[in-house]
Amino acid sequence: MSKIKSFLGRHKKLAIVLAVLAALGALYNIVFAGPARAAAAAAQSTELPTFTLARRELRSGLKVSGSITSGESASVTTSLPYPVAELRVSEGDTVAAGDVIAVLDTTELDSQIRAAQQAVSNAQAQAQLSVDQAARRLEDARNQKKIDDENPQDLPNANWESVMRQDSLAIEDAQDALNNAVLAQQNVSTAELASLRRQREQCTITAPQGGVVTGLAAKVGAAATELATIENAGDLELSVNIKEYDINRVRLGQQAVITSGAGDTFTGEVSWVAPRAASGSNGEVTYPVRLRILDAADTLRLGMTARADIALETRQGIFVAPLDAVGTDAEGNAVVYARETAEDGSTTLTPIVVTTGLESDVEIEIEAPELTEGMELLSMAPDPMAMGAGAGMEG
């Protein structure tokens, strides 16, 4: 010690420097080292989030969105060129099958019907006149034969048989003429008149099905092909478009949870999958799909937006973990970490290599011989580097 004091006495400047360094070291411990050690200690004491492993159900789903449509929809149309004279419904009205939707203006058609009726009447009158004339001619031929047959003495013997043959031929000709006249009368064409009358009946346009009038294109005074749209508000579907890389996972009858834009939840099932893709405006290939809503209520309205979570696959009695609970070890294996707590409060984390299976948005199926019911696993897998390349960690 005396030697050190003697050395410092001879080197006073060095002594001052050493004193300053010592003071700075003490300050560092106060400002930096102390809090760092305190933080490390706090981190050691922090409770790691875990979950209890259990076998249960896991469902893999596909989330899509679309709009509420009717499963039973009909367009009210006409091929007749006549303007609308009267509209019997308004948009939003509820109608039954057979209710009158519109009446067309039949002014021109009625004129055509009257002309056709007159033509048919004239043709029938002419045909009746021909029948009457043929009937009289037949009657005259028969009367003449009767007279000649009853008075042979008035004719020379050489001419009687010839007269009889002529009378018979006259009767046959008259009978043929009468038959032809009757047939012509029967064949007087009423086809045009019948066609016009059918058109007249079609000018009263009725609803092909019951439902709500959701569209009304017809206007009084104007001709129209599309008059109205009727949709059954009691048979609702969710119409969605599913991308081509998901469509092969969708099957008829798959169940879905449907949430409307108003926040109400309903159950549904896949009822129709388009056999052909439809290209969107951006060139993306999608397939139209319809989901029948099984428990629709008044709160669900046509045209509403809605989301659906389609259950693509469901498995029962499997071990399920949060997605974040599955990490990767240094060899690239999927691992979870089992936590065990000793009596002294220390914890041990043991990595378990697992096989993963069915996956949802937040959970995944895991399986390994080491996994047991009730095991405590970390909810979030730690960084494998912090785990010593897969070795257990004690805390």
Side-chain angles (χ1 to χ4, degrees):
M1 180 66 68
S2 61
K3 292 181 179 180
I4 295 174
K5 290 181 179 180
S6 175
F7 176 81
L8 292 176
R10 294 193 302 270
H11 300 84
K12 293 183 178 180
K13 291 183 179 181
L14 178 59
I16 294 172
V17 171
L18 292 175
V20 170
L21 290 175
L24 289 175
L27 180 63
Y28 174 83
N29 285 331
I30 295 172
V31 176
F32 297 103
R37 284 194 296 270
Q44 286 290 336
S45 63
T46 300
E47 184 71 21
L48 294 173
T50 61
F51 69 97
T52 301
L53 187 64
R55 291 189 180 275
R56 55 184 180 82
E57 175 185 288
L58 178 62
R59 189 182 74 168
S60 173
L62 176 64
K63 289 181 169 58
V64 291
S65 60
S67 61
I68 302 299
T69 60
S70 174
E72 187 180 6
S73 177
S75 295
V76 182
T77 64
T78 180
S79 60
L80 299 177
Y82 311 114
V84 175
E86 183 182 358
L87 280 173
R88 298 280 183 89
V89 296
S90 300
E91 191 167 343
D93 286 353
T94 299
V95 297
D99 285 355
V100 176
I101 301 298
V103 178
L104 303 184
D105 188 339
T106 61
T107 301
E108 178 183 351
L109 188 56
D110 289 340
S111 177
Q112 293 175 346
I113 290 174
R114 286 192 296 270
Q117 285 176 327
Q118 186 60 51
V120 169
S121 180
N122 292 341
Q124 288 176 339
Q126 183 60 45
Q128 185 61 51
L129 179 60
S130 297
V131 169
D132 293 343
Q133 290 175 344
R136 284 194 298 270
R137 179 184 170 189
L138 177 60
E139 184 179 4
D140 291 345
R142 287 172 176 171
N143 289 336
Q144 184 60 49
K145 186 174 186 280
K146 182 178 181 182
I147 292 171
D148 292 341
D149 189 37
E150 291 176 350
N151 300 286
Q153 67 278 5
D154 295 338
L155 299 172
N157 290 335
N159 294 330
W160 185 82
E161 291 182 359
S162 176
V163 170
M164 290 295 101
R165 284 195 299 273
Q166 291 176 358
D167 288 345
S168 295
L169 290 173
I171 291 172
E172 290 177 6
D173 290 343
Q175 183 64 62
D176 289 342
L178 177 59
N179 291 341
N180 290 335
V182 170
L183 183 61
Q185 183 184 42
Q186 293 173 346
N187 289 335
V188 170
S189 178
T190 59
E192 181 182 2
L193 178 60
S195 175
L196 293 172
R197 284 173 172 167
R198 283 195 298 272
Q199 289 186 39
R200 183 68 167 75
E201 293 174 356
Q202 293 168 1
C203 285
T204 299
I205 302 170
T206 58
Q209 68 170 51
V212 178
V213 179
T214 56
L216 196 61
K219 295 181 179 180
V220 173
T225 301
E226 299 282 341
L227 301 179
T229 301
I230 299 174
E231 297 183 78
N232 183 354
D235 181 14
L236 298 182
E237 296 178 335
L238 176 62
S239 295
V240 300
N241 291 312
I242 295 181
K243 296 176 181 179
E244 58 182 333
Y245 50 77
D246 286 325
I247 192 63
N248 287 334
R249 298 194 293 160
V250 177
R251 300 285 185 274
L252 293 178
Q254 287 175 331
Q255 299 298 296
V257 176
I258 297 172
T259 305
S260 71
D264 300 306
T265 301
F266 306 90
T267 57
E269 66 177 13
V270 177
S271 59
W272 180 80
V273 178
R276 184 179 180 85
S279 296
S281 57
N282 59 356
E284 185 179 44
V285 176
T286 60
Y287 285 80
V289 171
R290 293 198 292 263
L291 289 79
R292 179 178 295 110
I293 300 172
L294 304 178
D295 54 354
D298 292 341
T299 55
L300 197 60
R301 295 176 176 270
L302 290 167
M304 269 188 174
T305 58
R307 305 183 308 277
D309 186 359
I310 303 173
L312 301 178
E313 185 180 354
T314 302
R315 298 195 61 186
Q316 305 281 348
I318 61 174
F319 284 135
V320 178
L323 286 175
D324 289 340
V326 181
T328 305
D329 64 13
E331 287 75 34
N333 300 312
V335 293
V336 294
Y337 293 90
R339 174 181 174 178
E340 296 181 359
T341 304
E343 292 182 359
D344 61 1
S346 63
T347 60
T348 301
L349 299 180
T350 304
I352 300 175
V353 176
V354 296
T355 301
T356 59
L358 187 63
E359 183 177 333
S360 71
D361 289 341
V362 295
E363 295 179 313
I364 189 169
E365 175 188 2
I366 58 173
E367 188 59 55
E370 298 88 345
L371 296 179
T372 59
E373 191 97 10
M375 178 179 285
E376 187 179 12
L377 301 180
L378 289 189
S379 300
M380 180 174 293
D383 185 345
M385 297 300 294
M387 295 297 295
M393 181 179 75
E394 293 186 356

